[in-house]
Amino acid sequence: MRDGALWISGGGPDSDIVVSSRVRLARNLVGMPFPNRSDASQLQQAREKVIQAAKSTPSIGPLEILLLEDMSEMDRRIAVEEHLTSPQHVSEPKGRALILNRDNSLCVMVNEEDHLRIQAILPGFQLEQALRLAWAADDAIEETLDYAFDSELGYLSACPTNVGTGMRASVMLHLPALVITNSVGQVLGAASKVGVATRGIYGEGTEAVGNLFQVSNQVTMGRAEEEIIAHLGAIVRQIIDSERSARRALLDDARPQIEDRLYRSFGILTNARMMPSEEALKLMSDVKLGADMGILPNVPDDLLTRLSVDTMPAHVQRALGRELSVWERDIARAGIIRERFEKANKASRGSNSAPDKEE
Amino acid sequence: MRDGALWISGGGPDSDIVVSSRVRLARNLVGMPFPNRSDASQLQQAREKVIQAAKSTPSIGPLEILLLEDMSEMDRRIAVEEHLTSPQHVSEPKGRALILNRDNSLCVMVNEEDHLRIQAILPGFQLEQALRLAWAADDAIEETLDYAFDSELGYLSACPTNVGTGMRASVMLHLPALVITNSVGQVLGAASKVGVATRGIYGEGTEAVGNLFQVSNQVTMGRAEEEIIAHLGAIVRQIIDSERSARRALLDDARPQIEDRLYRSFGILTNARMMPSEEALKLMSDVKLGADMGILPNVPDDLLTRLSVDTMPAHVQRALGRELSVWERDIARAGIIRERFEKANKASRGSNSAPDKEE
């Protein structure tokens, strides 16, 4: 967990719109009650089985095994902010574990809602690759572990909505132009009519802070995983096309206004001395849009995804090495943001001046 | 008028708070009706007399004589924006003139409300110096011209509020900290109880755009000019002290918030691509406060006063060499602002790196 999850480094296919792709498989141990029906010793027992299985998976590389109760409160929150686990999972750490591969592209939540939640997250639009990665872990673990499986229903899970493949695939999309042009509701509404669930990220209810939306499959039964992912991928492709059209329309119809908005956000983000979390996400969304549209120069690809995670509360507190009040956090967050942009700016000036020296 | 009025270059005593000091003398020609009671030929006649007198004033240097009807509409508006004349004066150009010394610290409006309005404007807190400059012009002109003067009343004028000395002295003050701390009403209210008139600048009614306030004498009769100016100056000194206290209080009680506000304004001002006039004045007020409080580095003393004039509508249009729509003006204004800050920034980097080269 030390280096941050792979998806945070940004990049990947269609990374101007797709932040990350995730595939999560729900699995349970045969002959054991689901975690929410288990007592402490049953949780311990299930966790021990999973850990033992994870220790003999050479095909997917060395894994880091973290018992949640041994992690600091801050590290657990860090893991949630990096989407390596869920708020629900860390809310009762006892008897739970988190298993990670070296670059944190793969994680197994032990005793979350199910005994195992095997999750692969990759940067950009890489659903098939994420499925293959999750499957590799699934296969490796299954070599020493028996899953609860019904020949009719498929994989059994604590929640009926996961029964069957047990697979939830999702894509995190940055859709600022659809929001600005007031068409995000229509585009995502159309997607939800063809078996795709959509929701805003980080926000309460339906509001998407930072113009981030998660799109995932609704159906987990009756169709093969590849088929579900191909369907989801096709719909995501349509949403990507809609967002690209909206961006072109903004440039064609309202270039001065959109440039003004994006540059103002850049100016505030790189100058403010106090920066609340929600405002940071809003401004970073604008700056990412500006960078991805070629309006704002010298903003590196990976800066904003990383920064959007590094400015979340637990990350800010880790950077400063202590618990902070909301007020102190807003000051620290503004400092972290400025520092990153200054560093990026220096680096780009450095690379610009390099050819001069060679002349 | 070519180079802009002297006061716009900024500087002068107490220039962190006092933008400019102005003394204006109302004078009329003996035996001639006031301009508002004059017909076209009487206006012409009065103007001719004043111009002839202005041509024989070697003691105050060469004067530029501009007939308002010969000036372009844009140049007349430029003169208004630089406070060299009044909107009223240029609204009916025929038969009117504007007489300027070389650095535009001295101007004579001919056939405004009175036959002559002799005005001296200097940067910073220089009321006595402005009075001496206005008097020098007054004396020089009086050598060849007879003023309407009553031994009881003093100088006669079209408006009874100017009778006596005919003098209106005023100071333009930048009072952002008093506005932020909600105490400007109380401080200026106290001043108005001791014979001083106060009003916001550039704004409608009582609202002061850009936190600029004009403070001037109410009484023009029964006291000598020096006495009136000493009284006004003492009250201005108290207002300056109040503003300085308010600035210290802001730093002591709310440094993070004030730094955040001023840096955000700087970020917006130097990044925006469209900048309406009122917003520009608001942001420039913050940036000037930041520079004067030592919070914002590398903002030259003279930048903001000059910029606040150079971003007014007629100045923006002159810079672009043509009439512009409001929309085009907002884009052009944003460009002028960025260019100035970039130039200032380069200059300061240049001067910072100069010592390195000498090593």
Side-chain angles (χ1 to χ4, degrees):
Chain A
M1 226 185 69
R2 289 161 296 276
D3 297 339
L6 176 66
W7 71 270
I8 294 169
S9 60
D14 299 295
S15 66
D16 57 328
I17 294 173
V18 185
V19 178
S20 62
S21 300
R22 178 164 64 156
V23 168
R24 194 213 62 204
L25 304 171
R27 298 289 184 259
N28 285 279
L29 303 180
V30 72
M32 294 200 66
F34 293 132
N36 60 346
R37 303 202 170 188
S38 298
D39 59 25
S41 87
Q42 287 167 322
L43 283 179
Q44 284 282 1
Q45 209 187 326
R47 178 168 78 175
E48 196 46 41
K49 283 190 179 202
V50 177
I51 289 173
Q52 286 315 316
K55 280 182 175 168
S56 53
T57 53
S59 62
I60 53 168
L63 298 175
E64 181 183 11
I65 292 161
L66 300 163
L67 306 184
L68 289 201
E69 64 263 40
D70 291 350
M71 293 171 75
S72 70
E73 171 66 22
M74 192 181 280
D75 279 348
R76 288 194 294 259
R77 283 186 282 149
I78 294 269
V80 171
E81 289 176 357
E82 299 193 0
H83 298 173
L84 301 176
T85 181
S86 67
Q88 187 195 341
H89 190 217
V90 302
S91 66
E92 276 188 71
K94 194 126 183 60
R96 275 133 187 122
L98 182 61
I99 301 175
L100 302 167
N101 72 346
R102 193 176 281 277
D103 64 6
N104 297 356
S105 59
L106 189 69
C107 50
V108 183
M109 290 173 246
V110 182
N111 291 333
E112 205 244 22
E113 199 175 79
D114 299 294
H115 290 133
L116 297 95
R117 289 254 167 128
I118 300 166
Q119 181 182 263
I121 321 184
L122 297 173
F125 192 18
Q126 303 196 63
L127 277 174
E128 291 87 357
Q129 294 85 335
L131 175 62
R132 281 202 295 273
L133 184 56
W135 264 350
D138 187 38
D139 290 347
I141 290 167
E142 203 176 9
E143 285 189 18
T144 54
L145 217 57
D146 282 334
Y147 288 148
F149 185 85
D150 179 279
S151 58
E152 289 264 310
L153 292 171
Y155 292 101
L156 302 181
S157 64
C159 178
T161 60
N162 290 319
V163 170
T165 58
M167 184 187 75
R168 188 78 56 198
S170 64
V171 166
M172 202 203 292
L173 297 167
H174 184 230
L175 305 176
L178 290 176
V179 172
I180 292 170
T181 57
N182 272 323
S183 43
V184 74
Q186 189 210 320
V187 169
L188 295 186
S192 72
K193 282 185 192 139
V194 290
V196 156
T198 62
R199 66 176 182 85
I201 309 280
Y202 298 131
E204 293 300 305
T206 56
E207 200 186 333
V209 179
N211 300 317
L212 291 170
F213 296 85
Q214 184 175 285
V215 173
S216 59
N217 61 305
Q218 274 167 344
V219 173
T220 58
M221 269 184 98
R223 292 167 81 182
E225 287 87 342
E226 295 96 327
E227 212 183 318
I228 293 171
I229 279 189
H231 178 67
L232 176 64
I235 290 168
V236 167
R237 176 59 59 201
Q238 285 174 21
I239 299 172
I240 292 173
D241 289 346
S242 300
E243 170 68 16
R244 291 224 174 96
S245 300
R247 291 181 188 187
R248 278 192 301 272
L250 282 176
L251 282 185
D252 289 346
D253 304 341
R255 183 184 269 271
Q257 294 97 321
I258 195 72
E259 287 186 348
D260 184 54
R261 171 181 164 151
L262 303 182
Y263 268 104
R264 280 171 181 252
S265 292
F266 176 82
I268 297 171
L269 192 63
T270 55
N271 279 285
R273 259 54 188 170
M274 295 176 70
M275 183 52 69
S277 183
E278 282 222 355
E279 188 189 6
L281 286 169
K282 248 184 222 172
L283 295 172
M284 285 191 278
S285 169
D286 275 357
V287 172
K288 177 164 168 54
L289 178 63
D292 290 335
M293 287 172 88
I295 290 174
L296 294 174
N298 298 337
V299 180
D301 265 4
D302 60 338
L303 178 63
L304 288 158
T305 304
R306 184 172 291 279
L307 200 49
S308 70
V309 174
D310 284 349
T311 53
M312 300 195 79
H315 279 76
V316 171
Q317 297 186 74
R318 185 177 61 175
L320 269 82
R322 61 184 178 93
E323 289 280 325
L324 300 170
S325 66
V326 171
W327 159 272
E328 293 173 314
R329 224 148 63 200
D330 289 353
I331 294 175
R333 179 177 295 111
I336 290 169
I337 293 169
R338 290 200 310 280
E339 200 181 278
R340 281 309 159 80
F341 275 96
E342 274 161 29
K343 210 180 277 179
N345 193 27
K346 256 184 212 161
S348 86
R349 268 193 278 136
S351 67
N352 283 346
S353 62
D356 289 9
K357 286 179 189 168
E358 289 172 354
E359 275 171 28
Chain B
M1 224 185 69
R2 286 160 297 274
D3 297 338
L6 177 66
W7 70 271
I8 294 170
S9 60
D14 299 295
S15 65
D16 57 329
I17 294 173
V18 185
V19 177
S20 62
S21 300
R22 177 164 64 156
V23 167
R24 195 213 62 206
L25 304 172
R27 298 288 184 260
N28 285 281
L29 303 180
V30 73
M32 296 201 66
F34 293 133
N36 61 345
R37 302 204 169 186
S38 298
D39 61 25
S41 86
Q42 287 167 322
L43 282 179
Q44 284 282 2
Q45 208 186 325
R47 180 169 75 175
E48 197 45 41
K49 284 192 178 201
V50 176
I51 288 173
Q52 287 315 317
K55 281 182 174 166
S56 53
T57 52
S59 62
I60 53 169
L63 298 175
E64 181 183 11
I65 292 162
L66 300 163
L67 305 184
L68 289 201
E69 65 263 40
D70 291 351
M71 293 172 76
S72 70
E73 171 66 21
M74 193 180 280
D75 279 347
R76 289 194 291 259
R77 282 186 283 149
I78 295 267
V80 172
E81 290 177 356
E82 300 194 356
H83 299 172
L84 301 177
T85 180
S86 67
Q88 187 195 340
H89 191 216
V90 300
S91 66
E92 277 188 70
K94 192 122 185 62
R96 277 136 185 119
L98 183 61
I99 302 174
L100 301 167
N101 71 346
R102 192 177 280 277
D103 64 6
N104 296 356
S105 59
L106 189 67
C107 50
V108 182
M109 290 172 246
V110 183
N111 288 335
E112 207 243 23
E113 199 175 79
D114 299 293
H115 290 133
L116 298 96
R117 290 255 168 128
I118 300 166
Q119 180 182 264
I121 321 184
L122 297 174
F125 192 18
Q126 305 196 62
L127 277 175
E128 290 87 356
Q129 293 85 337
L131 175 62
R132 280 201 296 274
L133 183 57
W135 263 350
D138 187 38
D139 290 346
I141 290 167
E142 203 175 8
E143 285 190 15
T144 55
L145 215 60
D146 282 334
Y147 288 148
F149 186 85
D150 179 279
S151 58
E152 289 263 311
L153 293 171
Y155 291 103
L156 301 181
S157 65
C159 178
T161 61
N162 290 319
V163 170
T165 58
M167 183 188 77
R168 188 79 55 198
S170 64
V171 166
M172 200 203 295
L173 298 167
H174 184 231
L175 305 177
L178 289 176
V179 172
I180 292 171
T181 56
N182 274 323
S183 41
V184 74
Q186 189 209 320
V187 169
L188 295 186
S192 71
K193 283 186 192 139
V194 289
V196 157
T198 64
R199 68 176 183 85
I201 309 281
Y202 297 131
E204 292 300 305
T206 56
E207 200 186 332
V209 178
N211 299 318
L212 291 170
F213 295 84
Q214 184 175 284
V215 173
S216 60
N217 61 304
Q218 274 168 342
V219 173
T220 58
M221 268 185 99
R223 291 165 82 181
E225 287 86 344
E226 296 96 326
E227 211 182 320
I228 293 171
I229 279 191
H231 179 66
L232 176 64
I235 290 166
V236 167
R237 176 58 60 200
Q238 284 173 21
I239 300 173
I240 292 173
D241 290 345
S242 300
E243 170 68 17
R244 292 223 173 98
S245 299
R247 291 181 186 186
R248 277 193 301 272
L250 283 176
L251 282 185
D252 289 347
D253 304 341
R255 183 184 267 270
Q257 293 97 319
I258 196 73
E259 286 187 348
D260 183 54
R261 171 182 166 151
L262 303 182
Y263 268 104
R264 280 170 181 252
S265 292
F266 176 81
I268 296 170
L269 192 64
T270 56
N271 279 284
R273 261 54 189 170
M274 297 177 69
M275 183 53 67
S277 183
E278 283 222 354
E279 189 190 4
L281 287 171
K282 246 184 222 173
L283 295 173
M284 285 191 278
S285 170
D286 273 358
V287 173
K288 178 163 167 54
L289 178 64
D292 290 334
M293 285 171 90
I295 290 174
L296 294 174
N298 299 336
V299 181
D301 264 4
D302 59 338
L303 178 63
L304 289 157
T305 304
R306 183 172 291 277
L307 199 50
S308 70
V309 173
D310 284 349
T311 53
M312 299 195 81
H315 279 76
V316 170
Q317 296 186 75
R318 184 177 62 175
L320 268 80
R322 61 184 179 92
E323 288 280 325
L324 301 170
S325 66
V326 171
W327 160 270
E328 294 172 313
R329 224 149 63 200
D330 288 353
I331 294 174
R333 178 178 296 111
I336 290 170
I337 292 170
R338 289 199 310 280
E339 199 181 278
R340 282 311 160 78
F341 275 98
E342 275 160 29
K343 209 180 279 178
N345 194 24
K346 257 185 211 157
S348 86
R349 269 193 276 137
S351 68
N352 284 345
S353 63
D356 290 8
K357 287 180 189 167
E358 290 174 351
E359 276 171 24

